[in-house]
């Protein structure tokens, strides 16, 4: 069976090299070998996120940590900033955890803006907020630094930020941002297999978690901290992921973080250029387009080209590539192409060669 190369916005293509690291011979998670492995990658994770805090590894998809953050940190009420499928879902998840929760909803395709967040936090009703930095369903990147700057004004509010599809592709300086939780899953920009999350908590978040009843066990942030101090995880982790993460972090630093960020900007620009060349508009509000994936309007925005997206997808798939046909309520009226992970100008060029061909007569 021929492999269909993934250009959907997660999971993304995983390299042979990463798979080789993933399938390293098994070791025990309480043994010195594992502790040495975690100790070796900890400073790299800290450097990646510009933090002095310990970075945690969770064997779960991103949602595990997203739900965990709610259970660990919301006692009064959470403000869920919503601008697409993933951020909207966080409101539902907050409620399912039995928390008081309120939406700050903007139209899909728009970004969350600091002024709106400020207005809502000024009510004094909230002790936490959730924000998705890069809303993968709409291809919108919200201005994280501007929003995070509000933390100074509202020090008692826990700022919980999902960077699932941006972490490692754009600079994220956790300590400087001053936020409380920053999390990601490994199957997006890290280009690791799905099944593991990476996250970091502020000292204030850890202190608050320690006071919270019913925060559970599997995602207890205090347990993560205690174990990370010993270079361990609370329960048996997906050890293959930890080996793969070590290999991947080595690649990040061999390339250089700045070069990695610049590469993502360039490959993203290529995607935007491809869309423009074929007469498509982009879905996101101007100036807030993601740089890790592109959400192309296919009738969702006025003007611009409209094609039969399932047909485009199937033609592209026959040629060996998988692109996404739009998510949730904008399925079909948008489609998405990912440039996350290991993609280069050369590999994106191959995709666009195939896509040019597939567009013929559509
Ligand atoms: C993919 C994604 C998620 C969900 O991640 P899972 O690993 O499937 O739990 C959450 N937030 C964003 C922004 C995503 O892109």
């Amino acid at each position: 069976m021929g492999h269909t190369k993934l250009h959907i916005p997660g999971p993304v293509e995983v390299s042979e090299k990463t798979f080789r690291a993933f399938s390293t011979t098994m070791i025990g998670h309480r043994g010195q070998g594992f502790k040495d492995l975690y100790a070796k990658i900890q400073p790299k994770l800290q450097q990646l996120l510009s933090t002095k805090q310990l970075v945690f590894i969770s064997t779960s998809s991103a949602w595990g940590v997203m739900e965990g953050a709610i259970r660990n940190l919301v006692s009064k009420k959470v403000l869920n900033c919503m601008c697409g499928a993933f951020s909207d879902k966080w409101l539902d998840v907050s409620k399912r955890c039995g928390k008081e929760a309120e939406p700050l909803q903007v139209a899909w395709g728009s970004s969350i803006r600091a002024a709106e967040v400020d207005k809502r936090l000024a009510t004094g009703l909230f002790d936490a907020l959730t924000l998705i930095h890069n809303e993968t369903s709409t291809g919108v990147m919200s201005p994280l630094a501007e929003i995070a700057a509000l933390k100074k004004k509202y020090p008692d509010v826990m700022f919980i930020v999902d960077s699932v599809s941006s972490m490692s592709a754009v600079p994220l300086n956790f300590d400087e941002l001053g936020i409380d939780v920053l999390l990601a899953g490994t199957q997006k920009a890290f280009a690791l297999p799905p099944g593991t999350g990476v996250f970091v908590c502020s000292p204030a978040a850890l202190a608050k978690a320690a006071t919270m009843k019913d925060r559970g066990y599997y995602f207890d942030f205090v347990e993560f901290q205690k174990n990370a101090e010993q270079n361990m995880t609370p329960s048996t982790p997906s050890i293959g992921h930890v080996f793969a993460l070590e290999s991947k972090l080595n690649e990040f630093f061999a390339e250089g973080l700045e070069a990695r960020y610049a590469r993502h900007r360039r490959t993203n620009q290529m995607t935007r250029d491809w869309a423009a060349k074929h007469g498509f508009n982009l879905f996101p509000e101007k100036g807030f387009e993601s740089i890790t994936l592109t959400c192309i309007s296919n009738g969702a925005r006025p003007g611009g080209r409209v094609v039969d997206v399932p047909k485009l997808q199937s033609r592209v798939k026959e040629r060996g590539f998988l692109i996404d046909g739009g998510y949730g309520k904008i399925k079909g009226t948008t489609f998405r192409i990912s440039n996350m992970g290991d993609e280069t100008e050369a590999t994106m060029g191959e995709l666009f060669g195939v896509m040019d061909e597939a567009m013929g007569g559509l």
Side-chain angles (χ1 to χ4, degrees), residues 119-170:
K119 216 187 291 173
R120 299 295 282 278
L121 293 184
T123 61
L125 292 170
F126 303 100
D127 66 340
L129 76 80
T130 66
L131 174 75
I132 290 191
H133 175 219
N134 191 54
E135 174 51 71
T136 315
S137 63
T138 61
V140 168
M141 208 170 247
S142 285
L144 176 58
E146 273 171 45
I147 298 165
L150 291 168
K151 174 75 189 181
K152 285 202 178 69
K153 194 166 166 191
Y154 304 101
D156 296 333
V157 177
M158 292 286 124
F159 279 51
I160 305 165
V161 178
D162 162 327
S163 60
V164 173
S165 55
S166 58
M167 187 185 285
S168 86
V170 301

Tab-separated table of all heavy atoms in Angstrom, residues 119-170:
chain	number	residue	atom	x	y	z
A	119	LYS	N	-12.254	43.766	28.861
A	119	LYS	CA	-13.608	44.170	29.255
A	119	LYS	C	-14.287	43.087	30.097
A	119	LYS	O	-14.929	43.365	31.100
A	119	LYS	CB	-14.431	44.437	27.977
A	119	LYS	CG	-15.416	45.590	28.117
A	119	LYS	CD	-16.326	45.738	26.908
A	119	LYS	CE	-15.623	46.216	25.642
A	119	LYS	NZ	-16.512	46.176	24.457
A	120	ARG	N	-14.120	41.853	29.672
A	120	ARG	CA	-14.776	40.754	30.381
A	120	ARG	C	-14.109	40.469	31.724
A	120	ARG	O	-14.786	40.211	32.717
A	120	ARG	CB	-14.788	39.495	29.515
A	120	ARG	CG	-15.557	39.691	28.223
A	120	ARG	CD	-17.040	39.930	28.485
A	120	ARG	NE	-17.714	38.678	28.777
A	120	ARG	CZ	-18.137	37.831	27.863
A	120	ARG	NH1	-17.978	38.101	26.586
A	120	ARG	NH2	-18.721	36.703	28.210
A	121	LEU	N	-12.775	40.519	31.759
A	121	LEU	CA	-12.077	40.245	33.019
A	121	LEU	C	-12.353	41.341	34.041
A	121	LEU	O	-12.357	41.088	35.251
A	121	LEU	CB	-10.568	40.096	32.786
A	121	LEU	CG	-10.120	38.875	31.975
A	121	LEU	CD1	-8.590	38.820	31.907
A	121	LEU	CD2	-10.662	37.562	32.549
A	122	ALA	N	-12.617	42.551	33.547
A	122	ALA	CA	-12.880	43.687	34.444
A	122	ALA	C	-14.130	43.472	35.294
A	122	ALA	O	-14.301	44.122	36.327
A	122	ALA	CB	-13.005	44.981	33.631
A	123	THR	N	-14.996	42.548	34.900
A	123	THR	CA	-16.199	42.255	35.696
A	123	THR	C	-15.838	41.624	37.030
A	123	THR	O	-16.652	41.601	37.949
A	123	THR	CB	-17.129	41.269	34.952
A	123	THR	OG1	-16.419	40.032	34.745
A	123	THR	CG2	-17.598	41.830	33.616
A	124	GLY	N	-14.610	41.054	37.097
A	124	GLY	CA	-14.191	40.412	38.337
A	124	GLY	C	-14.830	39.052	38.580
A	124	GLY	O	-14.674	38.457	39.647
A	125	LEU	N	-15.551	38.562	37.582
A	125	LEU	CA	-16.264	37.286	37.747
A	125	LEU	C	-15.351	36.073	37.593
A	125	LEU	O	-15.714	34.976	38.003
A	125	LEU	CB	-17.370	37.176	36.679
A	125	LEU	CG	-18.555	38.122	36.768
A	125	LEU	CD1	-19.412	38.032	35.496
A	125	LEU	CD2	-19.394	37.773	37.998
A	126	PHE	N	-14.186	36.284	36.981
A	126	PHE	CA	-13.405	35.129	36.513
A	126	PHE	C	-12.105	34.919	37.290
A	126	PHE	O	-11.458	35.885	37.686
A	126	PHE	CB	-13.057	35.317	35.033
A	126	PHE	CG	-14.281	35.494	34.170
A	126	PHE	CD1	-14.677	36.772	33.754
A	126	PHE	CD2	-15.061	34.408	33.815
A	126	PHE	CE1	-15.810	36.948	32.979
A	126	PHE	CE2	-16.202	34.570	33.043
A	126	PHE	CZ	-16.584	35.841	32.620
A	127	ASP	N	-11.756	33.643	37.479
A	127	ASP	CA	-10.431	33.351	38.036
A	127	ASP	C	-9.572	32.553	37.045
A	127	ASP	O	-8.489	32.098	37.391
A	127	ASP	CB	-10.529	32.625	39.388
A	127	ASP	CG	-11.126	31.234	39.284
A	127	ASP	OD1	-11.810	30.940	38.286
A	127	ASP	OD2	-10.912	30.441	40.221
A	128	ALA	N	-10.095	32.383	35.817
A	128	ALA	CA	-9.308	31.693	34.790
A	128	ALA	C	-9.829	32.080	33.418
A	128	ALA	O	-10.992	32.459	33.269
A	128	ALA	CB	-9.405	30.175	34.965
A	129	LEU	N	-8.932	31.978	32.432
A	129	LEU	CA	-9.393	32.106	31.053
A	129	LEU	C	-8.667	31.080	30.204
A	129	LEU	O	-7.546	30.676	30.504
A	129	LEU	CB	-9.196	33.522	30.511
A	129	LEU	CG	-7.823	34.024	30.092
A	129	LEU	CD1	-7.424	33.547	28.703
A	129	LEU	CD2	-7.813	35.539	30.096
A	130	THR	N	-9.357	30.642	29.158
A	130	THR	CA	-8.710	29.754	28.185
A	130	THR	C	-8.594	30.490	26.863
A	130	THR	O	-9.489	31.248	26.479
A	130	THR	CB	-9.493	28.450	27.958
A	130	THR	OG1	-10.765	28.731	27.343
A	130	THR	CG2	-9.701	27.688	29.256
A	131	LEU	N	-7.471	30.268	26.212
A	131	LEU	CA	-7.202	30.916	24.926
A	131	LEU	C	-6.485	29.926	24.026
A	131	LEU	O	-5.564	29.238	24.472
A	131	LEU	CB	-6.307	32.143	25.144
A	131	LEU	CG	-5.828	32.840	23.865
A	131	LEU	CD1	-6.959	33.657	23.243
A	131	LEU	CD2	-4.625	33.742	24.156
A	132	ILE	N	-6.905	29.849	22.800
A	132	ILE	CA	-6.156	29.054	21.816
A	132	ILE	C	-5.344	30.006	20.954
A	132	ILE	O	-5.896	30.893	20.312
A	132	ILE	CB	-7.110	28.150	20.997
A	132	ILE	CG1	-7.647	27.046	21.933
A	132	ILE	CG2	-6.399	27.586	19.773
A	132	ILE	CD1	-8.387	25.906	21.269
A	133	HIS	N	-4.023	29.829	21.034
A	133	HIS	CA	-3.144	30.745	20.308
A	133	HIS	C	-3.376	30.635	18.806
A	133	HIS	O	-3.557	31.633	18.121
A	133	HIS	CB	-1.680	30.424	20.652
A	133	HIS	CG	-0.700	31.229	19.882
A	133	HIS	ND1	0.465	30.700	19.410
A	133	HIS	CD2	-0.719	32.526	19.487
A	133	HIS	CE1	1.124	31.654	18.760
A	133	HIS	NE2	0.432	32.760	18.792
A	134	ASN	N	-3.367	29.390	18.316
A	134	ASN	CA	-3.521	29.172	16.874
A	134	ASN	C	-4.740	28.269	16.679
A	134	ASN	O	-4.658	27.064	16.921
A	134	ASN	CB	-2.246	28.500	16.341
A	134	ASN	CG	-2.164	28.467	14.832
A	134	ASN	OD1	-2.275	29.507	14.183
A	134	ASN	ND2	-1.970	27.296	14.272
A	135	GLU	N	-5.868	28.881	16.324
A	135	GLU	CA	-7.112	28.109	16.182
A	135	GLU	C	-7.029	27.326	14.865
A	135	GLU	O	-7.183	27.889	13.778
A	135	GLU	CB	-8.317	29.051	16.246
A	135	GLU	CG	-9.662	28.425	15.981
A	135	GLU	CD	-10.011	27.168	16.775
A	135	GLU	OE1	-10.258	27.271	17.987
A	135	GLU	OE2	-10.054	26.082	16.178
A	136	THR	N	-6.796	26.037	15.003
A	136	THR	CA	-6.471	25.198	13.838
A	136	THR	C	-7.649	25.039	12.878
A	136	THR	O	-7.454	24.830	11.684
A	136	THR	CB	-5.987	23.822	14.338
A	136	THR	OG1	-5.071	24.033	15.414
A	136	THR	CG2	-5.288	23.034	13.257
A	137	SER	N	-8.870	25.142	13.395
A	137	SER	CA	-10.030	24.935	12.520
A	137	SER	C	-10.229	26.093	11.542
A	137	SER	O	-10.732	25.889	10.441
A	137	SER	CB	-11.294	24.736	13.353
A	137	SER	OG	-11.588	25.891	14.102
A	138	THR	N	-9.829	27.295	11.932
A	138	THR	CA	-10.060	28.476	11.097
A	138	THR	C	-8.765	29.078	10.552
A	138	THR	O	-8.815	30.009	9.752
A	138	THR	CB	-10.779	29.582	11.898
A	138	THR	OG1	-9.934	29.958	13.000
A	138	THR	CG2	-12.118	29.103	12.441
A	139	GLY	N	-7.632	28.578	11.033
A	139	GLY	CA	-6.347	29.105	10.586
A	139	GLY	C	-6.054	30.506	11.099
A	139	GLY	O	-5.357	31.278	10.439
A	140	VAL	N	-6.590	30.812	12.277
A	140	VAL	CA	-6.404	32.148	12.860
A	140	VAL	C	-5.419	32.091	14.023
A	140	VAL	O	-5.536	31.245	14.911
A	140	VAL	CB	-7.749	32.721	13.362
A	140	VAL	CG1	-7.533	33.964	14.233
A	140	VAL	CG2	-8.651	33.055	12.187
A	141	MET	N	-4.458	32.992	14.005
A	141	MET	CA	-3.520	33.124	15.112
A	141	MET	C	-3.878	34.386	15.892
A	141	MET	O	-3.843	35.483	15.334
A	141	MET	CB	-2.094	33.197	14.556
A	141	MET	CG	-1.037	32.685	15.490
A	141	MET	SD	0.575	32.530	14.654
A	141	MET	CE	0.793	30.750	14.669
A	142	SER	N	-4.252	34.228	17.144
A	142	SER	CA	-4.617	35.392	17.959
A	142	SER	C	-3.374	36.041	18.549
A	142	SER	O	-2.366	35.366	18.754
A	142	SER	CB	-5.603	34.977	19.065
A	142	SER	OG	-6.890	34.752	18.519
A	143	PRO	N	-3.450	37.349	18.821
A	143	PRO	CA	-2.254	38.071	19.312
A	143	PRO	C	-1.953	37.738	20.778
A	143	PRO	O	-2.397	38.427	21.698
A	143	PRO	CB	-2.648	39.543	19.138
A	143	PRO	CG	-4.147	39.553	19.169
A	143	PRO	CD	-4.615	38.225	18.664
A	144	LEU	N	-1.202	36.672	20.963
A	144	LEU	CA	-0.955	36.132	22.306
A	144	LEU	C	-0.275	37.137	23.238
A	144	LEU	O	-0.692	37.294	24.393
A	144	LEU	CB	-0.119	34.843	22.195
A	144	LEU	CG	0.318	34.188	23.500
A	144	LEU	CD1	-0.877	33.842	24.387
A	144	LEU	CD2	1.145	32.928	23.223
A	145	ALA	N	0.748	37.820	22.742
A	145	ALA	CA	1.497	38.721	23.625
A	145	ALA	C	0.605	39.835	24.173
A	145	ALA	O	0.664	40.169	25.358
A	145	ALA	CB	2.696	39.312	22.882
A	146	GLU	N	-0.238	40.382	23.303
A	146	GLU	CA	-1.154	41.461	23.741
A	146	GLU	C	-2.131	40.976	24.794
A	146	GLU	O	-2.431	41.681	25.759
A	146	GLU	CB	-2.007	41.930	22.548
A	146	GLU	CG	-1.390	43.003	21.718
A	146	GLU	CD	-2.208	43.231	20.442
A	146	GLU	OE1	-3.459	43.295	20.533
A	146	GLU	OE2	-1.588	43.307	19.370
A	147	ILE	N	-2.648	39.781	24.576
A	147	ILE	CA	-3.624	39.232	25.523
A	147	ILE	C	-2.925	38.854	26.824
A	147	ILE	O	-3.408	39.153	27.919
A	147	ILE	CB	-4.375	38.036	24.886
A	147	ILE	CG1	-5.160	38.506	23.644
A	147	ILE	CG2	-5.319	37.379	25.903
A	147	ILE	CD1	-5.645	37.397	22.732
A	148	ALA	N	-1.754	38.244	26.701
A	148	ALA	CA	-1.002	37.833	27.886
A	148	ALA	C	-0.605	39.033	28.742
A	148	ALA	O	-0.486	38.927	29.965
A	148	ALA	CB	0.241	37.048	27.470
A	149	ALA	N	-0.430	40.190	28.102
A	149	ALA	CA	-0.044	41.396	28.850
A	149	ALA	C	-1.100	41.774	29.891
A	149	ALA	O	-0.798	42.457	30.875
A	149	ALA	CB	0.197	42.552	27.876
A	150	LEU	N	-2.325	41.293	29.698
A	150	LEU	CA	-3.400	41.579	30.668
A	150	LEU	C	-3.180	40.876	32.005
A	150	LEU	O	-3.800	41.231	33.011
A	150	LEU	CB	-4.755	41.154	30.099
A	150	LEU	CG	-5.281	41.978	28.926
A	150	LEU	CD1	-6.465	41.275	28.283
A	150	LEU	CD2	-5.683	43.375	29.410
A	151	LYS	N	-2.319	39.877	31.984
A	151	LYS	CA	-2.053	39.136	33.226
A	151	LYS	C	-1.589	40.087	34.344
A	151	LYS	O	-1.934	39.893	35.511
A	151	LYS	CB	-1.011	38.042	32.950
A	151	LYS	CG	-0.512	37.285	34.152
A	151	LYS	CD	-1.519	36.271	34.691
A	151	LYS	CE	-1.022	35.714	36.030
A	151	LYS	NZ	-1.934	34.703	36.594
A	152	LYS	N	-0.840	41.111	33.970
A	152	LYS	CA	-0.334	42.080	34.960
A	152	LYS	C	-1.490	42.798	35.650
A	152	LYS	O	-1.426	43.115	36.834
A	152	LYS	CB	0.568	43.115	34.274
A	152	LYS	CG	1.925	42.563	33.923
A	152	LYS	CD	2.949	43.696	33.762
A	152	LYS	CE	4.323	43.143	33.456
A	152	LYS	NZ	4.405	42.532	32.099
A	153	LYS	N	-2.532	43.059	34.873
A	153	LYS	CA	-3.690	43.761	35.398
A	153	LYS	C	-4.594	42.835	36.216
A	153	LYS	O	-5.307	43.290	37.110
A	153	LYS	CB	-4.458	44.344	34.203
A	153	LYS	CG	-5.490	45.380	34.528
A	153	LYS	CD	-5.915	46.122	33.254
A	153	LYS	CE	-7.186	46.912	33.486
A	153	LYS	NZ	-7.746	47.414	32.213
A	154	TYR	N	-4.563	41.543	35.881
A	154	TYR	CA	-5.430	40.563	36.553
A	154	TYR	C	-4.591	39.392	37.067
A	154	TYR	O	-4.705	38.268	36.588
A	154	TYR	CB	-6.504	40.054	35.583
A	154	TYR	CG	-7.343	41.153	34.970
A	154	TYR	CD1	-7.094	41.591	33.665
A	154	TYR	CD2	-8.368	41.757	35.700
A	154	TYR	CE1	-7.860	42.609	33.102
A	154	TYR	CE2	-9.127	42.774	35.145
A	154	TYR	CZ	-8.867	43.195	33.842
A	154	TYR	OH	-9.612	44.198	33.291
A	155	PRO	N	-3.732	39.666	38.054
A	155	PRO	CA	-2.772	38.629	38.475
A	155	PRO	C	-3.430	37.371	39.045
A	155	PRO	O	-2.815	36.302	39.024
A	155	PRO	CB	-1.925	39.345	39.541
A	155	PRO	CG	-2.726	40.531	39.964
A	155	PRO	CD	-3.568	40.930	38.798
A	156	ASP	N	-4.661	37.492	39.536
A	156	ASP	CA	-5.300	36.315	40.131
A	156	ASP	C	-6.030	35.443	39.117
A	156	ASP	O	-6.550	34.382	39.461
A	156	ASP	CB	-6.280	36.737	41.233
A	156	ASP	CG	-5.550	37.416	42.375
A	156	ASP	OD1	-4.348	37.115	42.568
A	156	ASP	OD2	-6.164	38.261	43.067
A	157	VAL	N	-6.084	35.906	37.889
A	157	VAL	CA	-6.733	35.108	36.842
A	157	VAL	C	-5.682	34.170	36.232
A	157	VAL	O	-4.586	34.599	35.873
A	157	VAL	CB	-7.338	36.016	35.747
A	157	VAL	CG1	-7.943	35.188	34.616
A	157	VAL	CG2	-8.389	36.943	36.361
A	158	MET	N	-6.034	32.901	36.140
A	158	MET	CA	-5.138	31.913	35.534
A	158	MET	C	-5.274	31.971	34.010
A	158	MET	O	-6.367	31.753	33.489
A	158	MET	CB	-5.504	30.502	36.030
A	158	MET	CG	-5.228	30.276	37.496
A	158	MET	SD	-3.438	30.101	37.780
A	158	MET	CE	-3.180	31.388	38.987
A	159	PHE	N	-4.182	32.275	33.339
A	159	PHE	CA	-4.184	32.354	31.875
A	159	PHE	C	-3.732	30.992	31.307
A	159	PHE	O	-2.551	30.639	31.407
A	159	PHE	CB	-3.236	33.452	31.386
A	159	PHE	CG	-3.811	34.847	31.450
A	159	PHE	CD1	-4.391	35.342	32.618
A	159	PHE	CD2	-3.758	35.683	30.333
A	159	PHE	CE1	-4.919	36.631	32.679
A	159	PHE	CE2	-4.285	36.979	30.378
A	159	PHE	CZ	-4.864	37.456	31.554
A	160	ILE	N	-4.677	30.274	30.731
A	160	ILE	CA	-4.422	28.917	30.217
A	160	ILE	C	-4.394	28.982	28.684
A	160	ILE	O	-5.395	29.346	28.068
A	160	ILE	CB	-5.531	27.953	30.687
A	160	ILE	CG1	-5.664	27.977	32.217
A	160	ILE	CG2	-5.273	26.548	30.154
A	160	ILE	CD1	-6.967	27.350	32.740
A	161	VAL	N	-3.259	28.663	28.113
A	161	VAL	CA	-3.096	28.864	26.668
A	161	VAL	C	-2.746	27.557	25.950
A	161	VAL	O	-1.794	26.864	26.316
A	161	VAL	CB	-2.012	29.937	26.381
A	161	VAL	CG1	-1.810	30.111	24.877
A	161	VAL	CG2	-2.395	31.276	27.027
A	162	ASP	N	-3.539	27.262	24.949
A	162	ASP	CA	-3.311	26.118	24.050
A	162	ASP	C	-2.461	26.613	22.881
A	162	ASP	O	-2.845	27.544	22.171
A	162	ASP	CB	-4.694	25.626	23.590
A	162	ASP	CG	-4.694	24.748	22.342
A	162	ASP	OD1	-3.853	24.953	21.452
A	162	ASP	OD2	-5.589	23.897	22.237
A	163	SER	N	-1.287	26.023	22.733
A	163	SER	CA	-0.442	26.338	21.567
A	163	SER	C	-0.210	25.048	20.777
A	163	SER	O	0.880	24.817	20.256
A	163	SER	CB	0.873	26.973	22.007
A	163	SER	OG	1.595	26.091	22.840
A	164	VAL	N	-1.273	24.232	20.722
A	164	VAL	CA	-1.156	22.893	20.129
A	164	VAL	C	-0.569	22.953	18.723
A	164	VAL	O	0.327	22.184	18.394
A	164	VAL	CB	-2.521	22.165	20.127
A	164	VAL	CG1	-2.416	20.846	19.353
A	164	VAL	CG2	-3.006	21.891	21.550
A	165	SER	N	-1.065	23.874	17.900
A	165	SER	CA	-0.582	23.896	16.513
A	165	SER	C	0.375	25.058	16.241
A	165	SER	O	0.591	25.443	15.101
A	165	SER	CB	-1.765	23.932	15.543
A	165	SER	OG	-2.617	25.021	15.836
A	166	SER	N	0.970	25.612	17.309
A	166	SER	CA	1.983	26.657	17.093
A	166	SER	C	3.290	26.388	17.833
A	166	SER	O	4.340	26.891	17.426
A	166	SER	CB	1.437	28.032	17.481
A	166	SER	OG	1.021	28.060	18.831
A	167	MET	N	3.243	25.583	18.910
A	167	MET	CA	4.449	25.368	19.705
A	167	MET	C	5.554	24.736	18.856
A	167	MET	O	5.322	23.717	18.229
A	167	MET	CB	4.153	24.488	20.926
A	167	MET	CG	5.343	24.367	21.887
A	167	MET	SD	5.044	23.221	23.249
A	167	MET	CE	3.934	24.154	24.299
A	168	SER	N	6.685	25.369	18.872
A	168	SER	CA	7.926	24.998	18.160
A	168	SER	C	7.988	25.584	16.747
A	168	SER	O	9.020	25.525	16.099
A	168	SER	CB	8.174	23.474	18.105
A	168	SER	OG	7.501	22.880	17.007
A	169	ALA	N	6.878	26.172	16.282
A	169	ALA	CA	6.880	26.790	14.948
A	169	ALA	C	6.982	28.303	15.040
A	169	ALA	O	7.341	28.963	14.066
A	169	ALA	CB	5.615	26.412	14.184
A	170	VAL	N	6.639	28.850	16.201
A	170	VAL	CA	6.773	30.291	16.440
A	170	VAL	C	7.404	30.454	17.835
A	170	VAL	O	7.269	29.570	18.674
A	170	VAL	CB	5.402	31.030	16.408
A	170	VAL	CG1	4.706	30.838	15.082
A	170	VAL	CG2	4.496	30.591	17.546
